[in-house]
Amino acid sequence: MKKTSFWRLLGFLGAILVLLTACGKQSSAAKSSSSSAPVKITYWHRMTGSYDKALNKLITKFNQSQKKYKVVATSQGSYNALQQKIMAAGKSKTLPTMAQSPYTNIGDYVKNQLLLPFDSEMLNGSDKLSSSQLKDIYPSFLAAGKYKGKYYGLPFSVSTSVLFYNKRLMSQYNISMPKTWADFAADQDKLKGTDINAVELDQSYDVPLEGMAYGAGSQLITPKLKANLNAPKTLAAVNQILDLRKSGALKTAGEDQYFSVPFANGKAVFGIGSSATVPVLLQQAPKDLEWGTAVIPEYEGKRSNPLNGNYNVLFKGASKAQQAGAWAFQKFLLKSENASQWAMDSGYVPVTKSASNSTTFKNYLQKHEQYKAAVSAVPQSFASTVFAGYTDYRNDLMSTVDSTLTKNVSGETAFDQLQKQTEKILKENQ
């Protein structure tokens, strides 16, 4: 071989080596770029309006606090729309990483094999909650998300029921703060000749009824899945509500759906509803409406408060990285500063004791006293029993309540039928 050919060959081989090295570097750079992209955590919720804005503020804060995960949220607009979307996505295997859900839906979601528990990350993972962090979450709030020994839901948007009162009307008609439900009847006597009711409820009285029955020792569905829907103490609570309504002392919102509309218009001295209504009234009520909140009246000597609101749940199909990201986001939401911020922005109750006791939140309560009752109600709060078939039971309960309000069906007749329907549901889902 001639020397010139040898050197040409050597140069050609060198060029190939340089090209391969460059390609290798580009491939490594591409892999590095790909691996550095944050893990996408899709999150469905039902928040709208100011609630949606407040939630997005927290999500942006989380995304900017680290580079490993990115939460991408989508509002489904309502509880019903969200649940329907989740069930449809479960069938088509297009579920998000996580979502908000009423904790009472957990039993049905587990039955349909949609959920993963948070236990591996929360209790056993390298980033698990410490003993003090676990105890910091209000016990009733934490218990609500536990089903069959596992934490399938963790608290986020939790609300208690509170009594709203119109200060001007109380003063004008010499009405005192009610201590018991029976006091509403006496209050109505002072309102004769007016178009004002003593107390207004939402369209359905199911939530107040559950609290009254629980306080009387007749939990509607016990943890052992015994239905007490036509038990004497339950029926006594039903009849207390219906008797107050018949006398004109109590009114349900009807087409308005929520008590806040007639209350804001001065058509009721008191209203009973979710603490999440507080920011709604602050934003939408007439500026001259002087109002406040208090704990709801006693029934049978006790104040009992069923929990409502949204929990965060984690879906099957999420990768290990997404599971870790969902937990990182949930743990972020439990931090005192974030839990208190969400409570201040939304009207929901802080889910941890440290958030409620933080200087920031206490200072906020001093300026916005309407939020105080929601926190004061926490010691009396309790979780509804979670079970597979709850959605069907809930639909039947709402129909039962409606039949007593719009069709004048007696409490005994309506709730006897509900008892039979519920026993069938419980038997079919055991």
Side-chain angles (χ1 to χ4, degrees):
M1 179 182 293
K2 294 182 179 180
K3 289 183 178 180
T4 53
S5 298
F6 171 77
W7 289 111
R8 285 176 182 173
L9 178 61
L10 188 62
F12 177 69
L13 292 174
I16 292 176
L17 181 60
V18 171
L19 181 61
L20 289 174
T21 301
C23 288
K25 288 181 178 179
Q26 289 178 357
S27 177
S28 297
K31 288 182 179 179
S32 176
S33 175
S34 175
S35 63
S36 64
V39 176
K40 185 177 179 181
I41 309 299
T42 49
Y43 180 48
W44 290 356
H45 62 87
R46 53 83 56 201
M47 299 300 172
T48 58
S50 61
Y51 300 96
D52 183 41
K53 183 178 179 181
L55 177 56
N56 282 324
K57 183 169 70 173
L58 274 179
I59 291 172
T60 298
K61 183 180 178 182
F62 171 74
N63 288 340
Q64 293 178 345
S65 71
Q66 45 74 51
K67 297 181 180 179
K68 197 171 182 180
Y69 309 108
K70 182 179 181 181
V71 174
V72 179
T74 304
S75 173
Q76 304 299 339
S78 69
Y79 284 119
N80 289 339
L82 177 59
Q83 184 175 10
Q84 291 170 8
K85 189 76 178 286
I86 287 173
M87 295 304 292
K91 293 178 181 178
S92 62
K93 300 188 184 303
T94 56
L95 286 163
T97 307
M98 61 189 303
Q100 287 182 346
S101 170
Y103 67 88
T104 47
N105 286 0
I106 289 174
D108 288 317
Y109 290 161
V110 171
K111 180 183 177 182
N112 284 279
Q113 301 182 340
L114 301 183
L115 298 185
L116 289 171
F118 283 98
D119 297 53
S120 60
E121 296 286 347
M122 182 175 80
L123 303 177
N124 305 309
S126 58
D127 195 29
K128 67 180 181 180
L129 292 182
S130 66
S131 176
S132 60
Q133 287 175 321
L134 203 58
K135 291 179 181 178
D136 190 33
I137 304 172
Y138 285 115
S140 60
F141 293 11
L142 189 60
K146 195 172 186 179
Y147 178 64
K148 293 190 174 181
K150 295 181 179 180
Y151 291 101
Y152 285 101
L154 293 177
F156 175 47
S157 306
V158 184
S159 64
T160 53
S161 295
V162 295
L163 178 75
F164 294 76
Y165 60 89
N166 184 312
K167 296 179 182 179
R168 182 181 61 79
L169 291 180
M170 289 180 69
S171 176
Q172 182 177 348
Y173 293 98
N174 194 28
I175 294 174
S176 302
M177 193 68 67
K179 295 181 179 179
T180 71
W181 278 77
D183 290 341
F184 291 131
D187 294 338
Q188 193 61 38
D189 289 339
K190 299 178 180 180
L191 296 167
K192 284 183 178 179
T194 73
D195 60 351
I196 302 171
N197 297 95
V199 61
E200 184 94 21
L201 304 183
D202 289 338
Q203 191 172 45
S204 174
Y205 59 76
D206 59 296
V207 175
L209 171 63
E210 185 173 8
M212 294 166 72
Y214 185 93
S218 185
Q219 188 173 7
L220 297 186
I221 309 290
T222 72
K224 293 186 177 181
L225 300 185
K226 180 182 183 300
N228 288 315
L229 297 159
N230 65 347
K233 291 181 178 179
T234 299
L235 290 178
V238 171
N239 289 329
Q240 170 88 82
I241 293 172
L242 294 179
D243 287 347
L244 285 170
R245 184 171 181 267
K246 185 177 181 179
S247 71
L250 180 150
K251 189 177 179 182
T252 49
E255 292 182 358
D256 291 322
Q257 292 190 333
Y258 299 106
F259 83 91
S260 55
V261 176
F263 178 80
N265 291 329
K267 297 300 181 181
V269 181
F270 302 103
I272 294 178
S274 168
S275 58
T277 310
V278 170
V280 175
L281 284 174
L282 287 173
Q283 294 170 22
Q284 300 179 7
K287 298 302 180 183
D288 61 348
L289 180 68
E290 296 181 44
W291 62 280
T293 62
V295 291
I296 56 177
E298 295 178 354
Y299 179 75
E300 294 295 313
K302 292 185 179 180
R303 287 188 172 94
S304 300
N305 213 300
L307 293 177
N308 289 285
N310 300 278
Y311 277 53
N312 284 331
V313 296
L314 176 64
F315 292 107
K316 286 185 176 181
S319 67
K320 289 292 184 182
Q322 288 174 321
Q323 292 176 42
W327 169 242
F329 179 52
Q330 177 62 42
K331 193 173 182 183
F332 169 87
L333 295 175
L334 290 172
K335 286 184 177 180
S336 176
E337 61 182 283
N338 299 323
S340 60
Q341 185 61 57
W342 173 245
M344 291 185 290
D345 288 343
S346 68
Y348 288 100
V349 182
V351 296
T352 63
K353 301 168 191 173
S354 61
S356 294
N357 294 323
S358 68
T359 300
T360 300
F361 190 68
K362 284 186 173 180
N363 288 340
Y364 187 79
L365 290 184
Q366 291 299 319
K367 298 178 180 179
H368 303 84
E369 294 187 352
Q370 293 96 333
Y371 287 96
K372 286 184 177 180
V375 180
S376 298
V378 171
Q380 296 99 38
S381 65
F382 68 93
S384 304
T385 299
V386 177
F387 58 92
Y390 189 95
T391 301
D392 291 333
Y393 155 71
R394 167 81 174 163
N395 290 336
D396 289 342
L397 173 60
M398 298 297 281
S399 295
T400 298
V401 168
D402 183 67
S403 72
T404 65
L405 296 175
T406 64
K407 300 177 182 178
N408 294 320
V409 178
S410 71
E412 287 80 0
T413 299
F415 281 80
D416 274 344
Q417 180 62 29
L418 179 61
Q419 176 76 15
K420 295 175 183 177
Q421 293 170 319
T422 305
E423 287 176 345
K424 183 179 178 181
I425 290 171
L426 292 171
K427 185 178 180 179
E428 291 174 347
N429 286 280
Q430 283 183 354

